[in-house]
Amino acid sequence: MTLGFGVVGTGAIGREHINRITNKLAGGKIVAVTDVNQESAKQTVDQFGLDAVIYPNDKVLIADENVDVVLVTSWGPAHEATVVAAVEAGKYVFCEKPLATTAEGCMRIVEAEMKHGKKLVQVGFMRRYDSGYVQLKQAIEEGFIGEPLIIHAAHRNPTVDPRYTTDMAVVDTLIHEIDVLHWLVNDDYKTVQVVFPKKTKNALEHLRDPQLFIIETKGGIVINVEVFVNCKYGYDIQCEVVGEEGIVKLPEPASISFRKEATLGTKILTDWKYRFMDAYDVEIQDFMDAIVKKGEPQGPDSWDGYIAAVTADACVKAQQTGEKEAITLQERPAFYRETTVCET
Ligand code: NAI
Ligand code: NAD
Ligand code: ISE
């Protein structure tokens, strides 16, 4: 069975996913595309030689009977309306993060999905499919470092678009750590506080950069995440878990080391597209396989999108108040099972 994908948003990651579905993975075909910038949709069809209909908007794309899956890769504020419409039409959805930009928006998606009666939605939290994070989780669950006590993490981008604002450090960037870290230690978040260190001269006037998020879990783990989006030197994701019996650390991306000009070195990536390339492949293949084999996706679901949104809201509030803010989730409905499966 080949799943027909309709793509909403043919920007950077939309084209990345179109490429992997068309040229790398098995089981999917792009049958329709749309973008508010229709020229971008047309260019994409040409760029990848797609046999796909170009629609003027998401509503008509969703209504196409050849569209089994709606791939939502528009910008964040547009996600909710597309996802709700797709779910109401009974279509599967792969939605890039964030599922919606507010907790209320995520809850509306949750309600639409429960009303439909079957899980349809997966959120693009691809780090759960990254072999490094999977190895960390296995080590923790096997008790290799005893009880986890502290997590030190960093999310660094070389630079960002001038439109990137202080709150986007949460909703665009930290959101990946928000999702992956509670999954990693199987715990729930309790509070968050934000500290602004001395500002880098490389950030524009309107942006606070870097930022430090200190998050406590209900189980007592303290997590500190540095978000530094003008770090200049590269795209760098770090995660170290300190336990009672030892420490485990996220592996660096595989790369040759070199000896040259009196230096022993390793190159660092500069673009997010390459850092989690394998994880994106595994996540989308798993999404397609689960639909075909089990009739529903098995990766991060709408409830995970809701958890991320509630946590993000508290983080943004903590940026503004400077206080320790509570992270308060509603009770997980039975419809959403306790853990999601990520196969690698
Ligand atoms: P982008 O700006 O390159 O592309 C977004 C595209 O969506 C644009 O072409 C825009 O015209 C279109 N668009 C926006 N609203 C639309 C709507 N209502 N209907 C149709 N098209 C619409 O952005 P990018 O970097 O591709 O990001 C897209 C999404 O992917 C974002 O939600 C972002 O957070 C997420 N993302 C996820 C990553 C990950 O690692 N999982 C990495 C990069 C982006
Ligand atoms: P982008 O700006 O390159 O692409 C967004 C596209 O969406 C643009 O082509 C834009 O014209 C289109 N668009 C915007 N509003 C639309 C609408 N209402 N209807 C249809 N099209 C619309 O952005 P991007 O970097 O591709 O990011 C897109 C999404 O992917 C974002 O949500 C982003 O957070 C997410 N993302 C995730 C990862 C990841 O690592 N998982 C990486 C990058 C981006
Ligand atoms: C981007 O949208 C992503 O999702 C990347 O994974 C992240 O590292 C980057 O900071 C975001 O802009």
mmCIF file of all heavy atoms in Angstrom, residues 57-77:
data_model
loop_
_atom_site.group_PDB
_atom_site.id
_atom_site.type_symbol
_atom_site.label_atom_id
_atom_site.label_comp_id
_atom_site.label_asym_id
_atom_site.label_seq_id
_atom_site.Cartn_x
_atom_site.Cartn_y
_atom_site.Cartn_z
ATOM 1 N N ASN A 57 -5.266 26.071 -1.350
ATOM 2 C CA ASN A 57 -5.233 26.126 0.121
ATOM 3 C C ASN A 57 -5.366 24.730 0.731
ATOM 4 O O ASN A 57 -5.609 23.742 0.012
ATOM 5 C CB ASN A 57 -6.329 27.058 0.667
ATOM 6 C CG ASN A 57 -7.716 26.601 0.264
ATOM 7 O OD1 ASN A 57 -8.094 25.449 0.505
ATOM 8 N ND2 ASN A 57 -8.479 27.476 -0.388
ATOM 9 N N ASP A 58 -5.214 24.663 2.050
ATOM 10 C CA ASP A 58 -5.226 23.370 2.745
ATOM 11 C C ASP A 58 -6.597 22.686 2.703
ATOM 12 O O ASP A 58 -6.683 21.459 2.632
ATOM 13 C CB ASP A 58 -4.724 23.524 4.185
ATOM 14 C CG ASP A 58 -5.488 24.561 4.997
ATOM 15 O OD1 ASP A 58 -6.337 25.281 4.417
ATOM 16 O OD2 ASP A 58 -5.232 24.664 6.214
ATOM 17 N N LYS A 59 -7.687 23.469 2.724
ATOM 18 C CA LYS A 59 -9.038 22.869 2.766
ATOM 19 C C LYS A 59 -9.282 21.976 1.554
ATOM 20 O O LYS A 59 -9.769 20.843 1.680
ATOM 21 C CB LYS A 59 -10.111 23.966 2.796
ATOM 22 C CG LYS A 59 -10.033 24.891 3.989
ATOM 23 C CD LYS A 59 -10.632 24.267 5.231
ATOM 24 C CE LYS A 59 -10.504 25.146 6.462
ATOM 25 N NZ LYS A 59 -9.153 25.520 6.871
ATOM 26 N N VAL A 60 -8.961 22.489 0.370
ATOM 27 C CA VAL A 60 -9.223 21.688 -0.839
ATOM 28 C C VAL A 60 -8.225 20.541 -0.948
ATOM 29 O O VAL A 60 -8.565 19.461 -1.447
ATOM 30 C CB VAL A 60 -9.250 22.548 -2.131
ATOM 31 C CG1 VAL A 60 -10.590 23.230 -2.292
ATOM 32 C CG2 VAL A 60 -8.127 23.551 -2.195
ATOM 33 N N LEU A 61 -7.024 20.749 -0.451
ATOM 34 C CA LEU A 61 -6.042 19.641 -0.452
ATOM 35 C C LEU A 61 -6.540 18.495 0.424
ATOM 36 O O LEU A 61 -6.501 17.327 0.033
ATOM 37 C CB LEU A 61 -4.695 20.172 0.036
ATOM 38 C CG LEU A 61 -3.584 19.141 0.208
ATOM 39 C CD1 LEU A 61 -2.234 19.714 -0.264
ATOM 40 C CD2 LEU A 61 -3.445 18.682 1.658
ATOM 41 N N ILE A 62 -7.051 18.846 1.611
ATOM 42 C CA ILE A 62 -7.537 17.817 2.535
ATOM 43 C C ILE A 62 -8.695 17.030 1.905
ATOM 44 O O ILE A 62 -8.831 15.819 2.104
ATOM 45 C CB ILE A 62 -7.960 18.477 3.880
ATOM 46 C CG1 ILE A 62 -6.720 18.999 4.617
ATOM 47 C CG2 ILE A 62 -8.760 17.517 4.758
ATOM 48 C CD1 ILE A 62 -7.022 19.971 5.755
ATOM 49 N N ALA A 63 -9.521 17.733 1.122
ATOM 50 C CA ALA A 63 -10.709 17.084 0.528
ATOM 51 C C ALA A 63 -10.353 16.134 -0.617
ATOM 52 O O ALA A 63 -11.194 15.314 -1.020
ATOM 53 C CB ALA A 63 -11.673 18.160 0.026
ATOM 54 N N ASP A 64 -9.128 16.194 -1.123
ATOM 55 C CA ASP A 64 -8.728 15.317 -2.237
ATOM 56 C C ASP A 64 -8.741 13.858 -1.756
ATOM 57 O O ASP A 64 -8.040 13.507 -0.797
ATOM 58 C CB ASP A 64 -7.321 15.724 -2.711
ATOM 59 C CG ASP A 64 -6.842 14.900 -3.907
ATOM 60 O OD1 ASP A 64 -7.328 13.759 -4.110
ATOM 61 O OD2 ASP A 64 -5.960 15.386 -4.630
ATOM 62 N N GLU A 65 -9.501 13.007 -2.443
ATOM 63 C CA GLU A 65 -9.620 11.617 -1.973
ATOM 64 C C GLU A 65 -8.318 10.827 -2.111
ATOM 65 O O GLU A 65 -8.155 9.768 -1.487
ATOM 66 C CB GLU A 65 -10.764 10.890 -2.695
ATOM 67 C CG GLU A 65 -10.579 10.833 -4.197
ATOM 68 C CD GLU A 65 -11.702 10.088 -4.916
ATOM 69 O OE1 GLU A 65 -12.792 9.923 -4.310
ATOM 70 O OE2 GLU A 65 -11.460 9.695 -6.067
ATOM 71 N N ASN A 66 -7.380 11.333 -2.907
ATOM 72 C CA ASN A 66 -6.079 10.650 -3.010
ATOM 73 C C ASN A 66 -5.141 10.993 -1.864
ATOM 74 O O ASN A 66 -4.070 10.405 -1.730
ATOM 75 C CB ASN A 66 -5.398 11.009 -4.336
ATOM 76 C CG ASN A 66 -6.186 10.468 -5.513
ATOM 77 O OD1 ASN A 66 -6.646 9.330 -5.463
ATOM 78 N ND2 ASN A 66 -6.385 11.286 -6.535
ATOM 79 N N VAL A 67 -5.529 11.976 -1.068
ATOM 80 C CA VAL A 67 -4.694 12.362 0.087
ATOM 81 C C VAL A 67 -5.090 11.509 1.295
ATOM 82 O O VAL A 67 -6.184 11.635 1.836
ATOM 83 C CB VAL A 67 -4.852 13.870 0.406
ATOM 84 C CG1 VAL A 67 -4.172 14.220 1.736
ATOM 85 C CG2 VAL A 67 -4.287 14.724 -0.721
ATOM 86 N N ASP A 68 -4.163 10.606 1.699
ATOM 87 C CA ASP A 68 -4.390 9.790 2.905
ATOM 88 C C ASP A 68 -3.789 10.482 4.124
ATOM 89 O O ASP A 68 -4.279 10.336 5.243
ATOM 90 C CB ASP A 68 -3.693 8.425 2.765
ATOM 91 C CG ASP A 68 -4.103 7.686 1.507
ATOM 92 O OD1 ASP A 68 -5.314 7.489 1.321
ATOM 93 O OD2 ASP A 68 -3.204 7.331 0.705
ATOM 94 N N VAL A 69 -2.677 11.194 3.893
ATOM 95 C CA VAL A 69 -1.914 11.811 4.991
ATOM 96 C C VAL A 69 -1.698 13.285 4.669
ATOM 97 O O VAL A 69 -1.278 13.620 3.563
ATOM 98 C CB VAL A 69 -0.519 11.162 5.113
ATOM 99 C CG1 VAL A 69 0.299 11.873 6.191
ATOM 100 C CG2 VAL A 69 -0.600 9.676 5.382
ATOM 101 N N VAL A 70 -1.949 14.146 5.661
ATOM 102 C CA VAL A 70 -1.645 15.567 5.487
ATOM 103 C C VAL A 70 -0.337 15.851 6.235
ATOM 104 O O VAL A 70 -0.235 15.612 7.443
ATOM 105 C CB VAL A 70 -2.796 16.451 6.013
ATOM 106 C CG1 VAL A 70 -2.472 17.926 5.810
ATOM 107 C CG2 VAL A 70 -4.103 16.082 5.315
ATOM 108 N N LEU A 71 0.664 16.308 5.494
ATOM 109 C CA LEU A 71 1.970 16.629 6.070
ATOM 110 C C LEU A 71 2.008 18.134 6.305
ATOM 111 O O LEU A 71 1.988 18.919 5.349
ATOM 112 C CB LEU A 71 3.072 16.202 5.089
ATOM 113 C CG LEU A 71 4.516 16.542 5.425
ATOM 114 C CD1 LEU A 71 4.958 15.898 6.727
ATOM 115 C CD2 LEU A 71 5.435 16.085 4.293
ATOM 116 N N VAL A 72 2.008 18.538 7.579
ATOM 117 C CA VAL A 72 1.877 19.964 7.919
ATOM 118 C C VAL A 72 3.263 20.544 8.210
ATOM 119 O O VAL A 72 3.862 20.281 9.258
ATOM 120 C CB VAL A 72 0.933 20.149 9.128
ATOM 121 C CG1 VAL A 72 0.729 21.636 9.409
ATOM 122 C CG2 VAL A 72 -0.401 19.466 8.875
ATOM 123 N N THR A 73 3.758 21.319 7.267
ATOM 124 C CA THR A 73 5.087 21.924 7.407
ATOM 125 C C THR A 73 5.020 23.425 7.114
ATOM 126 O O THR A 73 5.979 24.020 6.646
ATOM 127 C CB THR A 73 6.106 21.244 6.462
ATOM 128 O OG1 THR A 73 5.519 21.146 5.161
ATOM 129 C CG2 THR A 73 6.475 19.874 6.947
ATOM 130 N N SER A 74 3.863 23.995 7.376
ATOM 131 C CA SER A 74 3.701 25.450 7.288
ATOM 132 C C SER A 74 4.325 26.056 8.543
ATOM 133 O O SER A 74 4.864 25.335 9.382
ATOM 134 C CB SER A 74 2.218 25.798 7.206
ATOM 135 O OG SER A 74 1.546 25.252 8.316
ATOM 136 N N TRP A 75 4.235 27.356 8.707
ATOM 137 C CA TRP A 75 4.793 27.923 9.944
ATOM 138 C C TRP A 75 3.849 27.661 11.110
ATOM 139 O O TRP A 75 2.634 27.439 10.915
ATOM 140 C CB TRP A 75 5.168 29.393 9.770
ATOM 141 C CG TRP A 75 4.037 30.375 9.714
ATOM 142 C CD1 TRP A 75 2.900 30.264 8.985
ATOM 143 C CD2 TRP A 75 3.950 31.603 10.427
ATOM 144 N NE1 TRP A 75 2.101 31.355 9.187
ATOM 145 C CE2 TRP A 75 2.718 32.201 10.060
ATOM 146 C CE3 TRP A 75 4.780 32.276 11.330
ATOM 147 C CZ2 TRP A 75 2.311 33.432 10.583
ATOM 148 C CZ3 TRP A 75 4.370 33.492 11.839
ATOM 149 C CH2 TRP A 75 3.150 34.054 11.474
ATOM 150 N N GLY A 76 4.409 27.645 12.312
ATOM 151 C CA GLY A 76 3.700 27.201 13.507
ATOM 152 C C GLY A 76 2.284 27.726 13.704
ATOM 153 O O GLY A 76 1.357 26.944 13.936
ATOM 154 N N PRO A 77 2.056 29.061 13.592
ATOM 155 C CA PRO A 77 0.714 29.586 13.861
ATOM 156 C C PRO A 77 -0.364 29.043 12.918
ATOM 157 O O PRO A 77 -1.553 29.128 13.227
ATOM 158 C CB PRO A 77 0.891 31.102 13.662
ATOM 159 C CG PRO A 77 2.333 31.356 13.929
ATOM 160 C CD PRO A 77 3.063 30.138 13.436
#
